[in-house]
Amino acid sequence: MPIDAAGALGAAPRVREISWDHKDVQLYHLGIGAGRPATDPGELRYTLESRLHVLPSFATVAGGGAPGVIRTLSVPGVDVDLAHVLHGGQRLRLHRPVPVRGRAGAASRVVAAYDKGTAAVLVLRTEVTDADGPLWTEEAEVYVRGEGGWGGERGPSGRPSPPPAEPATHVAERVLREDQALLYRLSGDWNPLHADPEFAARAGFARPVLHGLCTYGATLKTVVDTLLDGDVTRVRAYRTRFAGVVYPGETLRVRMWRPAGAEGYGAESGRAGEAGEAGEAGEAGEAGEAGEAGEVRVAVSAVERGDAPVLADTVVRYG
């Protein structure tokens, strides 16, 4: 039967305590492809505890446990088959740099439920706060096939926007390990779609696919290393839409567009607000007043499959 949207939206936030330390951070970094070459000073920032910096996308796995796309399925009013679930998009807003070790409270609730007719889209927002105040806010957009039809609001368009027409200012390629998904899942996402060929076949895939959040993290690392001098603390917000699958062992082509300033991006900020992250545009504006704001538009594709789109509508805001 259709998802009980009213029940999901009306459910009280679920609060859990999370903690992490340098080992969790290092494992995550290895899971998204850090550490190659192993002795490169730039890579040691991600792998050596004495020099460790935390890539902000670590927030998606901090504390372990199921990722947001899976936690959504345990919300009251949501009872669906995991094989029908796809991760539609991910948004992250940093209030402060993520510390190497920490303990915090994470409060999650469904903030939007859209009826696409033949599918449903749920947005799970998680707000993380420690003893010093807010740390980060993340949103997982969950697409559930066959669960629409209750007559609810259709919501924003799910179609990815094309990348900018002009040539990218920077292009980088990242070769993924054959066992990338097996390594990444050790950070807490045990979805068999990423490891079990039989489950992947039942979900309609030729073989296990890479976690979308692994591609998400690998892409942010590429942007930080290429355009932000490896300074992870400059990232203010990061969002993407998952446009296609990645298979372990493939090569990611990451195209980046960084304009001279942040002007002309109000429409993109508006669309983010419609999708449930109104605060992101505001934070970018605050950084702009300081004269240090900027943003990078990104498109990611799989080289071996004719540059098949993987991530779309991707923006990294920095300060």
Side-chain angles (χ1 to χ4, degrees):
M1 61 182 294
I3 287 171
D4 178 5
L9 291 168
R14 293 194 170 186
V15 181
R16 62 192 180 106
E17 294 296 317
I18 63 173
S19 62
W20 64 93
D21 62 19
H22 67 91
K23 297 185 294 298
D24 303 304
V25 174
Q26 290 166 293
L27 180 61
Y28 171 77
H29 289 161
L30 292 172
I32 62 169
R36 292 181 294 170
T39 57
D40 186 305
E43 296 302 314
L44 290 173
R45 292 180 302 209
Y46 299 104
T47 58
L48 187 62
E49 56 273 17
S50 61
R51 307 183 189 180
L52 199 57
H53 296 70
V54 184
L55 192 70
S57 53
F58 169 74
T60 60
V61 303
V69 68
I70 302 299
R71 292 199 306 274
T72 306
L73 307 186
S74 63
V75 171
V78 181
D79 183 13
V80 299
D81 186 343
L82 179 59
H84 295 165
V85 172
L86 295 173
H87 198 165
Q90 187 74 25
R91 294 183 285 272
L92 174 66
R93 182 156 51 97
L94 284 304
H95 305 293
R96 287 181 281 129
V98 181
V100 171
R101 54 184 54 80
R103 183 177 299 275
S108 301
R109 64 186 180 94
V110 172
V111 295
Y114 301 124
D115 183 353
K116 301 298 185 179
T118 59
V121 175
L122 305 174
V123 178
L124 184 77
R125 178 180 297 164
T126 300
E127 297 178 287
V128 176
T129 305
D130 67 5
D132 295 322
L135 266 175
W136 67 79
T137 300
E138 63 167 313
E139 290 185 351
E141 186 177 287
V142 184
Y143 183 92
V144 188
R145 294 176 292 184
E147 290 294 334
W150 70 83
E153 179 186 351
R154 188 168 180 83
S157 171
R159 292 185 178 182
S161 303
E166 63 271 20
T169 54
H170 296 78
V171 179
E173 293 188 356
R174 295 292 180 263
V175 179
L176 301 169
R177 297 163 53 111
E178 284 284 349
D179 59 354
Q180 199 76 62
L182 301 180
L183 183 57
Y184 180 84
R185 70 197 303 260
L186 298 179
S187 287
D189 188 343
W190 300 100
N191 187 344
L193 175 64
H194 309 295
D196 184 345
E198 293 182 2
F199 187 93
R202 186 161 70 92
F205 297 102
R207 56 191 175 96
V209 301
L210 189 66
H211 307 70
L213 287 179
C214 182
T215 306
Y216 180 78
T219 298
L220 181 60
K221 179 179 181 298
T222 300
V223 172
V224 169
D225 292 347
T226 304
L227 298 178
L228 302 183
D229 299 320
D231 187 352
V232 298
T233 66
R234 296 185 64 189
V235 177
R236 298 291 183 265
Y238 176 36
R239 70 174 183 267
T240 197
R241 179 172 293 173
F242 298 108
V245 300
V246 175
Y247 293 100
E250 290 188 324
T251 303
L252 299 178
R253 177 170 287 136
V254 182
R255 292 180 292 157
M256 295 162 268
W257 291 263
R258 182 167 70 171
E263 295 83 359
Y265 288 84
E268 184 72 17
S269 297
R271 285 197 293 273
E274 291 174 6
E277 193 171 352
E280 184 178 334
E283 183 175 14
E286 291 169 8
E289 292 172 5
E292 298 179 353
E295 67 179 28
V296 182
R297 287 194 172 191
V298 187
V300 184
S301 57
V303 172
E304 290 84 355
R305 286 182 285 120
D307 271 330
V310 171
L311 298 185
D313 295 335
T314 306
V315 176
V316 178
R317 286 199 169 95
Y318 62 90

